[in-house]
Every structure is written in C-alpha cells, then in structure tokens.
Amino acid sequence: YIPPDSLHTPPLIVPGGAVTAAQPNIQPPPRLPHTHTNPTVIQLLKNLPLISKLQKNKEIETKNAERALKTLNHMNNSVAFPDTGSNAASLVTLEPEDLDRFKVPSFAPSFRDYIYSSLAKWLADEEIKEKEDLKLKRKTSDDPKPSAEEARIAKRRCMNGKKMVPWIVGVPWQAKFPQSLFDTEGCVAVPLSFFLNENLQILNTEASTLPTVKTNPNPGETK
C-alpha cells in the first residue's frame, strides 16, 4: 500500500549519506483577530464613545504585554513555561479629530486615567515635533538682518542706461530739437510725447534710421 502524496513524505538524503524522514511542510494556521472579529463588532467599536475606546485600548495593551512576556518566558525556558503567548490584539482606532483634541492642554487631563502607553508615546512625539518646529522658526527669525544701507541697495531699481541724457548739476538741460520736428510740424500736428526728454534723445541720435512717410507738398512748395 502506497499512501497518497498528501500523506506520503519522501525520505530526505542529507550530506554524508544518512537518510532521514523529511518534515512535512506544515503551514501555520491563519491569524485570528482578537478585537475586530467581524463587521458587526467593527461597527460597534467605531460607535463607542471616546472614553470607552480608551478603556478598551488600555485593557488590550495590558493583555498584549502579558502575551509578549509569556512568549519570552517560553522561548527562554519551554519546560518551565510550556505555553507560548498568542498574537497581539489590535487596538481600537481613534478618530483623527479625537487625537487632535489630545493636543489641547485642557483636554488631556480629563482622560488622565485612561491614557495608555502607545497614546502617551504619540502625544510625547507630537510635543517634541512642535518644539522642534518652534525652535526652527525662532532660529530663522534670529538670522542677522541686513543693514539699512544693504536693504536700500537691495530695493534699488536698476536704470536703463539707454535712456540716460547728459546733465550737469546746477545747469538746466539744453533741449535740442531736431530738424525733422520742424519739417513734420508743417504737415501734421506733432504729438506732445515727441517732446519728452527720452524721445528727443532718440530723435537726435536715431533720426536717420527711423522710418519715414511721403506726403503731398504744402501749397507754394514744390517738394
């Protein structure tokens, strides 16, 4: 009689020629939840008031610590401690708005007797983070500020050198009107903007390269 493959384990040959029976590949049983056992229980846990969630979590953490210690004792001395601890149970989830309320100094003392270790650790980490952020802000604000002269230079607007015109302190600027203005004035009205300093400078230096338009001669002129 040859048992089926599921019951028959072939021999295992190890180095040296010894033949031993191979251990069957036994899968560990699936982990069974201790807290969130089914959807109905999950919804009931979610609907609990905050104080009940804190009480439940404190009880779960205490039992988890006992399970961990039981497993440690079993690993150290399986004869004296034949039973190993079971898997740790999950905590009841606290809503984000409830966690934010614990950051308010006047709120946490109301639940002082129900603060469990992981919640206390989270509160301490948040307080350390806030202090580090505040320290960083203070360090940034304590950076040396620029002097009044440095601030004035930083705010100074650079001037376009192409618009600069010669000028001597104490001497009024002598405007020079190009001949093209007088020639144009006889045909059409010259825009007032042409008489701005920067436009006069352009007409004086670039008049020969500016585009022109032919017009009919005035009465009495031949061209």
Side-chain angles (χ1 to χ4, degrees):
Y1 170 73
I2 301 176
D5 293 340
S6 59
L7 300 178
H8 175 67
T9 303
L12 176 66
I13 301 177
V14 298
V19 179
T20 60
Q23 296 295 328
N25 187 14
I26 301 176
Q27 296 294 334
R31 181 181 182 276
L32 297 177
H34 295 280
T35 306
H36 308 83
T37 54
N38 57 66
T40 303
V41 173
I42 292 175
Q43 187 60 43
L44 291 174
L45 290 173
K46 186 176 181 180
N47 295 337
L48 285 176
L50 178 59
I51 188 171
S52 299
K53 291 181 180 179
L54 296 176
Q55 290 174 334
K56 185 68 175 176
N57 283 344
K58 190 171 184 179
E59 176 185 346
I60 292 174
E61 276 205 347
T62 301
K63 292 183 178 180
N64 283 343
E66 294 175 355
R67 292 187 182 101
L69 183 59
K70 192 174 183 180
T71 301
L72 176 62
N73 292 334
H74 174 74
M75 296 299 295
N76 288 332
N77 190 345
S78 59
V79 176
F81 302 95
D83 297 330
T84 182
S86 59
N87 294 325
S90 302
L91 299 178
V92 180
T93 303
L94 299 182
E95 299 297 330
E97 53 268 21
D98 288 333
L99 291 174
D100 291 337
R101 293 188 183 99
F102 276 103
K103 298 179 184 180
V104 181
S106 60
F107 182 81
S110 303
F111 301 91
R112 182 176 301 171
D113 296 335
Y114 307 102
I115 302 295
Y116 45 95
S117 59
S118 59
L119 178 58
K121 180 180 179 299
W122 180 83
L123 292 173
D125 292 341
E126 289 295 313
E127 184 176 355
I128 293 173
K129 181 180 178 182
E130 290 180 1
K131 289 182 179 180
E132 290 178 351
D133 293 342
L134 181 60
K135 187 184 299 183
L136 182 61
K137 291 181 180 179
R138 289 178 178 176
K139 183 178 180 180
T140 303
S141 60
D142 292 340
D143 290 342
K145 297 181 179 180
S147 62
E149 180 65 17
E150 292 174 342
R152 185 181 67 82
I153 294 176
K155 294 180 181 179
R156 180 182 297 171
R157 298 178 61 183
C158 296
M159 185 176 182
N160 188 350
K162 295 181 179 180
K163 298 181 179 180
M164 296 180 64
V165 295
W167 179 62
I168 302 175
V169 178
V171 178
W173 180 72
Q174 298 296 324
K176 181 181 179 181
F177 300 98
Q179 183 61 36
S180 58
L181 287 179
F182 297 97
D183 297 338
T184 304
E185 191 273 335
C187 299
V188 295
V190 180
L192 291 178
S193 59
F194 278 29
F195 296 94
L196 295 174
N197 292 342
E198 58 181 353
N199 292 335
L200 288 175
Q201 185 73 8
I202 294 174
L203 291 173
N204 286 322
T205 58
E206 304 179 14
S208 60
T209 60
L210 295 177
T212 58
V213 177
K214 290 184 178 182
T215 62
N216 295 324
N218 292 328
E221 295 181 352
T222 58
K223 60 178 181 178

